Structure formats: C-alpha cells, structure tokens
Amino acid sequence: MADQPLVLGIETSCDETGVGIVHGTTLLADAIASSVDEHARFGGVVPEVASRAHLEAMVPTVERALKEAGVSAKDLDGIAVTAGPGLAGALLVGVSAAKAYAYALGKPLYGVNHLASHICVDQLEHGPLPEPTMALLVSGGHSSLLLSSDITSDVRPMGSTIDDAAGEAFDKIARVLNLGFPGGPVIDRYAREGDPAAIAFPRGLTGPRDPAYDFSFSGLKTAVARWIEAKRAAGEEVPVRDVAASFQEAVVDVLTRKAVRACKDEGVDHLMIGGGVAANSRLRALAQERCEAAGIRLRVPRPKLCTDNGAMVAALGAEMVARGRPASAWDLSADSSLPVTEPHVPGPDHDHVHEVSKENLYP
Ligand code: KG4
Ligand code: ZN
C-alpha cells in the first residue's frame, strides 16, 4: 500500500464539479458540487451556466476533498483532470484549475479521458479491472460499448449511439411526461409500479442487418412521444407508470442484449457498466440476469461512482502514475471531442515538472 500513488482528480466535463482523491485503488474522498438545479428549468444542461458554476465551486470542492481524505496537498503524487470529451467551456475550468494546482504544488499533471475514467472508477469498488474488460457506458452524453485491455493505453470502440444517448432519451421522455429533469431517476421510480410489457415500443437497431453494437434511441423516443400524444388527443389519461416501464424496458433490453453479445463475440468474460444510466435499477437487474446466463461476470459500481465524479478521474490518474505513463505537458488543452481511443493526453516522455518555466505557463 505504501507505494501506491496518491492522486487528486478534477472532473468538470458537464454540470458536476467533482474532486476525488484516491490512494491506488482505494477511494479516500469524493466531493461533488452540482449545478443540476440551475439547469432544471431549461430541461437540459446550459453550458455557460455550468462553466460559471464550476468556477465558483472549484476551490471549495478541492478543499472539501482534501479535508475529507485527511491528506495534505503537498503529499499528492499527481493531479489528474478530465481533458475531454465534454463541454468545452466547462472542461476549460477544470483543466485550468488542475494546471494551477499542479504547477503551484510542483506535481505532475495528467489530462485524462472522461470515458476511460468512467470505466476505471470500478477499480475503487471491485479492485483491479480484469484485462480485457467490456464496458457499457451509458449517460446523458454517451452510449458506448468499449473494449479495453489496459485502461491507461488501450480502449477500443465497439459501438456507440448513432443519435441520442440513452440518458438523453430518459430525459426527453420524462419531459414529455412532465416528470422534470433529470429524467432517469424519476422514470426508474415510476417504472417500478408499471408494467414493462404494457406497450410494445420499438427496439432500435436490432434487425438482422443492423450494426451489432451500435445503438439508436431516437426512433424509440419519437414512438413514445407519439403514443402519449395520441392518448392525450383522444382525451384519455396517460398511464404514466406503464409508459415509463415500457419505455425503460425497450432501452435496457437493447443495451444489455448488445453488451452481452459483444462479450460473447469477443470472448470477454467481464462486463462493466458505468455512466449515469447505470444507476437504473432495471438495467442492473436485467444485465445481471443476462450476464449470469452467459457466464459473464458483471461489475457495476455504486450509483454515486457511476455518475460524473472526481474519484473516477483520480482513479485513472493513479493508474497512469502506477503504470509509469508520461505526465501531460503544461500546454495541455481541453478537447471537447477527445477520441475515446486516447485514455490520456501524454506530454513529452519525461518528468516535465522540473523542466517547465513560468514562461511556458504564462506566455
Ligand atoms: O453520467 P451522468 O451523471 O452525466 C453525463 O451525462 O455524463 O449521467 C446523467 C444521465 C442523465 O441523463 C440521467 O437522466 C441519467 O443519467 N440517469 C438515469 C438514472 N439516474 C441517472 N437514467 C436511468 N435511470 C436512472 N436511475
Ligand atoms: Zn460522464
């Protein structure tokens, strides 16, 4: 344990200011400040509002994390930060803060990938990631199937959504049903009292000629919205619980079916599920059932680690340190479309901390 890296991670890719601290694969602190309430009346995240909220929350959240972990900033072995993908302005706040902390403290800086972090976080819950691991990442911003043989260097995209993200579909249907934002948790709750077989909503991209691992939720979203409209137009009451359950079933049926198929096709016997939608109770249950039937071990972190947080960034940063990956350069920039195939943004392959001069940071 003694030589495990102590890393602080900063996450600001969307509406959560997350600061986590880990010691190797042990979680020490996971501080979050969310601006979700400020976006609620718009029914989605407003980038400018998110950036401003990050700016205000950053220093207090870092201080809260250090206090929670009971460590001193000078004992850190590195500062990790989400370099992308995400909202450009929001990412920029995190990257700038991470640079400032790393530079002031004389620590190496690790710009890491948000998606790889969502996978790596499971190490904090279930120990070292099996290699290879198949990952199903489902959130408001992404729906991807990824295969990784080494989370610090090798993440291969198997498939992704061709239109809406899974979480986005939950949010939009919740809006049509007037259930508020974010939609996932409330649909999950209503669905528990509804009949998932009440309405046969379409399963996107599941035909024999469709791409095996890609997802599509836009057709489903339209089908559900039309169904609700038709009920309303006929002056009938909308059975909210049945709609929620049937819609949710259509989403999780496709997600789990494709994830298990990808595992089987690739001979991978571990599946991890991450991202905000991984908190969905029906997704967890159906994935468990189907994985068991297929002899696949399922790993799903606890809900707080599935949604955006700083601990996941720290977890990946610690893995970068542990595996001797090069730190990022001081000119690290936020990249809103950082490819999933790049788990981190390496700088020159040496200890840049001693190389940098103030001119580099403030040209
Ligand atoms: O990972 P996350 O916190 O942020 C990003 O989008 O990156 O995920 C948020 C998304 C939202 O769309 C929210 O509706 C969805 O995750 N979500 C859920 C549940 N909890 C959160 N979707 C379905 N069921 C849930 N229980
Ligand atoms: Zn995310």
Side-chain angles (χ1 to χ4, degrees):
M1 219 28 223
D3 50 7
Q4 297 255 35
L6 183 67
V7 173
L8 180 141
I10 296 176
E11 153 63 36
T12 63
S13 69
C14 193
D15 60 341
E16 244 96 47
T17 312
V19 180
I21 299 177
V22 307
H23 190 204
T25 58
T26 306
L27 176 65
L28 300 185
D30 183 13
I32 287 268
S34 176
S35 59
V36 67
D37 294 344
E38 295 173 50
H39 306 287
R41 69 194 171 98
F42 302 105
V45 177
V46 183
E48 289 78 7
V49 173
S51 305
R52 186 166 292 268
H54 287 311
L55 209 50
E56 285 165 8
M58 184 56 63
V59 173
T61 312
V62 168
E63 282 169 4
R64 195 146 51 84
L66 287 167
K67 194 163 168 223
E68 195 181 312
V71 300
S72 162
K74 67 176 179 355
D75 296 329
L76 295 169
D77 295 305
I79 308 281
V81 62
T82 303
L87 303 170
L91 289 166
L92 197 57
V93 179
V95 169
S96 306
K99 279 185 190 175
Y101 279 111
Y103 191 77
L105 294 163
K107 309 290 181 189
L109 171 73
Y110 293 85
V112 302
N113 190 302
H114 181 80
L115 298 174
S117 301
H118 266 304
I119 303 176
C120 195
V121 74
D122 192 48
Q123 301 208 129
L124 305 176
E125 181 100 34
H126 298 110
L129 272 181
E131 294 175 342
T133 289
M134 188 69 70
L136 171 68
L137 292 189
V138 273
S139 76
H142 25 263
S143 306
S144 321
L145 256 178
L146 306 167
L147 177 57
S148 173
S149 66
D150 173 344
I151 197 58
T152 64
S153 66
D154 174 45
V155 179
R156 173 151 69 97
M158 301 285 297
S160 68
T161 179
I162 60 165
D163 40 56
D164 297 343
E168 215 177 338
F170 274 93
D171 294 336
K172 286 181 181 163
I173 294 307
R175 191 158 54 188
V176 178
L177 290 170
N178 299 318
L179 297 178
F181 173 83
V186 60
I187 292 209
D188 194 347
R189 223 164 35 242
Y190 274 92
R192 271 174 222 172
E193 293 162 15
D195 175 6
I199 311 148
F201 287 131
R203 270 64 170 159
L205 295 187
T206 49
R209 303 172 124 198
D210 289 329
Y213 313 127
D214 283 336
F215 305 104
S216 166
F217 299 108
S218 135
L220 169 64
K221 187 186 70 193
T222 309
V224 177
R226 291 244 169 88
W227 194 93
I228 295 167
E229 269 165 33
K231 279 272 162 199
R232 282 179 183 152
E236 292 174 34
E237 201 179 318
V238 176
V240 176
R241 289 169 177 77
D242 284 349
V243 173
S246 301
F247 156 75
Q248 175 176 277
E249 195 66 17
V251 175
V252 308
D253 175 26
V254 175
L255 291 175
T256 53
R257 213 192 295 178
K258 294 202 174 208
V260 168
R261 170 151 180 209
C263 287
K264 281 188 181 161
D265 290 352
E266 296 289 324
V268 174
D269 55 11
H270 284 87
L271 171 68
M272 83 79 56
I273 307 185
V277 180
N280 185 270
S281 59
R282 179 63 186 145
L283 174 60
R284 287 175 174 246
L286 189 59
Q288 187 60 49
E289 200 179 289
R290 290 184 171 173
C291 280
E292 256 168 43
I296 297 163
R297 282 270 184 88
L298 178 67
R299 293 169 56 123
V300 193
R302 77 192 85 128
K304 189 164 183 244
L305 294 179
C306 284
T307 51
D308 290 352
N309 64 81
M312 67 189 211
V313 180
L316 183 53
E319 201 56 42
M320 294 292 169
V321 177
R323 299 203 185 204
R325 302 284 175 227
S328 300
W330 292 117
D331 65 358
L332 171 73
S333 48
D335 181 352
S336 59
S337 48
L338 185 67
V340 64
T341 47
E342 293 174 26
H344 93 304
V345 185
D349 196 0
H350 56 75
D351 186 356
H352 69 281
V353 169
H354 304 294
E355 300 279 328
V356 78
S357 67
K358 286 213 162 143
E359 286 75 36
N360 294 15
L361 193 57
Y362 306 109

